[in-house]
């Protein structure tokens, strides 16, 4: 455990080491520093140095240890980096069987549990400890004489597979802990390996860019990681672990049971003090079941605000003596129960597949499903991404499939259930020709998508117009997808420039277009002409040019046609523009049709020049901001634009780099995290407005 004064000392030494690496004479101190920063980052979620600074110190450690191998310790941060592959995963018996939990779904189930517990305990009231039910893969760890000696999967509950090498890659799991300070010689603990929502998104992005099949949910991603052959690959997955249970411990000779080990909440505190990420800050204590029930009901809606997935809450009787008295069945303890949130998985039938053509010509298979409700939302259509995805999951027409919707994550097909096949299911055939224009589909080498390369394909034209007017592009309000499709079908809108040449008299005759809606549309189209340059660049739909790249490019030029003058090499000099992106931009601006389109738009009055060059000298220059919770006076996008216009930057998460956290209503974990970093100024929306005025 790291207490405040130590934080200051260790941080001061960190800075000293970074400024003058030659001053590192004590390798032990360097290891202590690195362990301290691992803890700050992975357990406390309040990093004090940047990744780069950590890596710099880590490299020095590796160099020192290479020079003096006799000084390597088995809990050195360098020892996480596996140097051998896992050959087989040996099966080992757990010290204590890993039981499961009984499930509950409503207040009645919980009241039943409470009544039985009180009867068994001969008590009128019981204290409960409630904590998240982490949705990951469960593990057990054994520490002996302060060191991690083995880690196992759950297996069948009695014995699991030994995965120590892989578990050492998870930096929230310490390689050594001060057990002896508590008089403990050996300890077996249980927890859950999870992948945060953010890491899951990044991981799937990586898979996508390598043309690999993406995973359905963070739980599968975490579980699949545990048995990987190469520990280094596990390391790249950025896993986390919550430890919530001490299943067994042996005291050192003459030692007495630590005071904290009388209750579950005490055990969580002890685990936290030892350096684990236990649910110490998430847990809540209640003195009666009615309050537990209220908490469970209220918590379900907060589930999506957490940075990781949970599938419910676990309610545990807090007093260990009472736990022992109640005992367990062969399946679950009688002193704990899981309260499961509404399922986000469901089974349904894959009835049909539609092949949709996007604005770049990519053909995406979309599963049409028998409509089914998951977590309050009806799902009847799910993207199947590409041909490989269908093959790998062996999805067939008529199959029963398990689908899942994880919070704000887009619904996915988890798998088909082959055991339920009747023999009438059909293999899904990918078409050879574009389903819209019949052009022969092509697939580039090392790409997973089939593409229609017909520039006149009507599906692509419509999709390009939809993208052009969309919110992040030219942001033409009241011009939804359905209207664009309708106008296209009626011949009122055939290409992007015609957005600015609409015949409003004709539109006014259409059903649903009263004077007010026509006026709104007119005004929105007119206003879009003066959108900043980056929006236009993004709106053109150049392959690989997202909003961020569009901003980077716009900041480097005066007029959009300046891009016709830049070579691929010059384009690659821009931040975040690699070979692939540079080639795509170059090709776009060397195609006469595209240049004609741009000139046409210029003639129609659209802004083509860079107006607000980044205000490096602005009042917010060099400052980092992050917004959390709901803003009431400004839109999030407006607030972010104000920061950028003032030369400031927006960060995506809380770190020591952050200068201001602007807190709106119902702020969540970001606020808690920021409170732990003294250098961050936490301000309200009103403070922010005041700040930017000056
Ligand atoms: S307590 C005897 N606490 O949920 C102790 N389990 O569905 C039993 N789980 O097998 C476990 N979060 O893998 C406990 N806070 C938590 C948990 C938790 C997730 C998992 C655990 C268990 C499964 C039961």
């Amino acid at each position: 455990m790291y207490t405040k004064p130590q934080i200051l000392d260790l941080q001061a030494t960190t800075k000293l080491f970074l400024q003058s690496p030659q001053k590192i004479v004590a390798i032990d101190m360097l290891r202590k520093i690195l362990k301290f920063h691992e803890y700050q980052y992975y357990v406390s979620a309040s990093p004090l140095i940047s990744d780069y600074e950590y890596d710099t110190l880590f490299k020095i450690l590796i160099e020192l240890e290479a020079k003096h191998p006799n000084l390597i310790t088995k809990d050195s941060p360098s020892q996480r980096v596996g140097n051998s592959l896992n050959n087989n995963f040996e099966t080992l018996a757990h010290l204590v069987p890993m039981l499961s939990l009984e499930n509950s779904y409503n207040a009645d189930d919980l009241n039943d549990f409470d009544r039985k517990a009180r009867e068994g305990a001969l008590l009128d009231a019981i204290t409960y400890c409630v904590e998240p039910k982490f949705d990951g893969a469960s593990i057990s760890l054994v520490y002996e004489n302060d060191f991690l000696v083995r880690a196992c999967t759950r297996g069948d509950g009695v014995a699991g597979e030994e995965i120590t090498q892989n578990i050492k890659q998870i930096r929230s799991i310490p390689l050594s802990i001060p057990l002896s300070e508590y008089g403990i010689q050996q300890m077996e603990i249980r927890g859950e390996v999870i992948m945060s929502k953010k890491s899951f998104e990044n991981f799937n992005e990586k898979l996508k860019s390598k043309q690999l099949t993406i995973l359905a949910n963070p739980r599968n991603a975490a579980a699949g990681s545990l048995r990987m052959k190469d520990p280094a690959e596990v390391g790249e997955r950025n896993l986390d672990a919550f430890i919530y249970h001490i299943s067994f411990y042996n005291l050192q000779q003459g030692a007495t049971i630590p005071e904290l080990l009388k209750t579950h909440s005490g055990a969580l505190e002890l685990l936290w003090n030892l350096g684990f990420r236990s649910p110490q800050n998430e847990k809540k204590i209640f003195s009666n079941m009615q309050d537990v029930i209220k908490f469970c009901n209220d918590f379900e809606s907060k589930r999506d605000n957490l940075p990781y997935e949970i599938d419910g809450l676990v309610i545990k009787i807090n007093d260990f003596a009472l736990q022992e008295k109640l005992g367990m069945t062969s399946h679950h303890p009688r002193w704990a129960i899981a309260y499961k949130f509404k399922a986000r998985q469901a089974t349904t039938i894959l009835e049909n597949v539609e092949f949709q053509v996007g604005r770049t010509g990519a053909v995406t298979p979309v599963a049409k499903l028998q409509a089914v409700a998951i977590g309050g939302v009806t799902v009847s259509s799910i993207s199947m991404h590409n041909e490989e995805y269908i093959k790998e999951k062996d999805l067939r027409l008529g199959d029963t499939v398990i689908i899942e919707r994880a919070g704000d994550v887009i619904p996915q097909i988890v798998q088909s259930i082959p055991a339920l096949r009747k023999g009438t299911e059909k293999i899904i055939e990918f078409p050879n020709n574009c389903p819209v224009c019949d052009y022969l589909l092509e697939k580039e080498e090392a790409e997973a998508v089939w593409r229609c390369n017909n520039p006149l394909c009507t599906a692509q034209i419509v999709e390009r117009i939809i993208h052009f007017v969309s919110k992040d592009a030219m942001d033409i309000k009241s011009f939804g997808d359905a209207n664009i499709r309708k106008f296209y079908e009626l011949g009122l809108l055939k290409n992007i420039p015609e957005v600015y040449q609409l015949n409003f008299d004709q539109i006014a005759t259409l059903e649903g277009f009263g004077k007010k809606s026509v006026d709104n549309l007119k005004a929105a189209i007119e206003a879009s002409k003066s959108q900043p340059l980056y929006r236009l660049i993004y709106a053109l739909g150049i392959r690989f040019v997202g909003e961020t790249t569009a901003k980077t490019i716009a900041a480097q030029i005066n007029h959009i046609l300046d891009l016709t003058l830049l070579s691929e090499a010059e384009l690659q000099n821009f931040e975040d523009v690699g070979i692939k992106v540079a080639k795509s931009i170059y090709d776009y601006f060397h195609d006469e049709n595209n240049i004609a389109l741009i000139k046409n738009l210029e003639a129609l009055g659209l802004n083509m020049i860079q107006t607000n060059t980044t205000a490096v000298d602005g009042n917010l220059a060099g400052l980092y901001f992050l917004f959390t919770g709901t803003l009431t006076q400004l839109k999030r996008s407006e607030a972010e634009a104000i920061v950028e216009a003032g030369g400031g930057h927006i960060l995506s998460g809380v770190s020591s780099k952050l200068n201001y956290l602007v807190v709106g209503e119902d702020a969540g974990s970001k606020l808690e995290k920021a409170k732990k970093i003294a250098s961050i100024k936490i301000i309200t929306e009103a403070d922010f407005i005041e700040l930017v005025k000056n």
Side-chain angles (χ1 to χ4, degrees), residues 97-103 131-139 154 190-192 244-245 264 279 311 314 316 328 333 335-336 338 340:
M98 287 175 77
L99 296 184
S100 194
L101 289 170
E102 187 184 3
N103 286 332
E131 66 202 33
K133 184 169 180 324
F134 304 102
D135 201 4
S138 55
I139 51 159
R154 179 175 187 277
R190 288 183 59 171
E192 208 80 358
Y244 46 70
H245 184 64
H264 175 67
D311 57 342
V314 185
K316 297 176 179 173
M328 49 194 70
W335 44 260
K340 299 272 280 188

Side-chain angles (χ1 to χ4, degrees), residues 95-114:
L95 301 186
V96 168
M98 287 175 77
L99 296 184
S100 194
L101 289 170
E102 187 184 3
N103 286 332
S104 69
Y105 299 92
N106 51 44
D108 286 352
D109 295 345
L110 288 176
N111 279 325
D112 262 3
F113 172 79
D114 177 56

Side-chain angles (χ1 to χ4, degrees), residues 39 43 268-278 280-281:
Y39 177 88
V43 179
L268 294 182
E269 192 176 327
L270 182 110
L271 286 166
W272 182 265
N273 292 348
L274 288 170
F276 292 102
R277 189 171 182 198
S278 77
Q280 159 75 0
N281 298 321

Side-chain angles (χ1 to χ4, degrees), residues 226-245:
L226 298 187
R227 293 183 77 266
M228 292 191 74
K229 274 217 161 306
D230 185 357
E233 256 186 76
V234 182
E236 280 170 23
R237 291 190 173 199
N238 217 348
L239 300 169
D240 245 305
F242 274 98
I243 305 295
Y244 46 70
H245 184 64

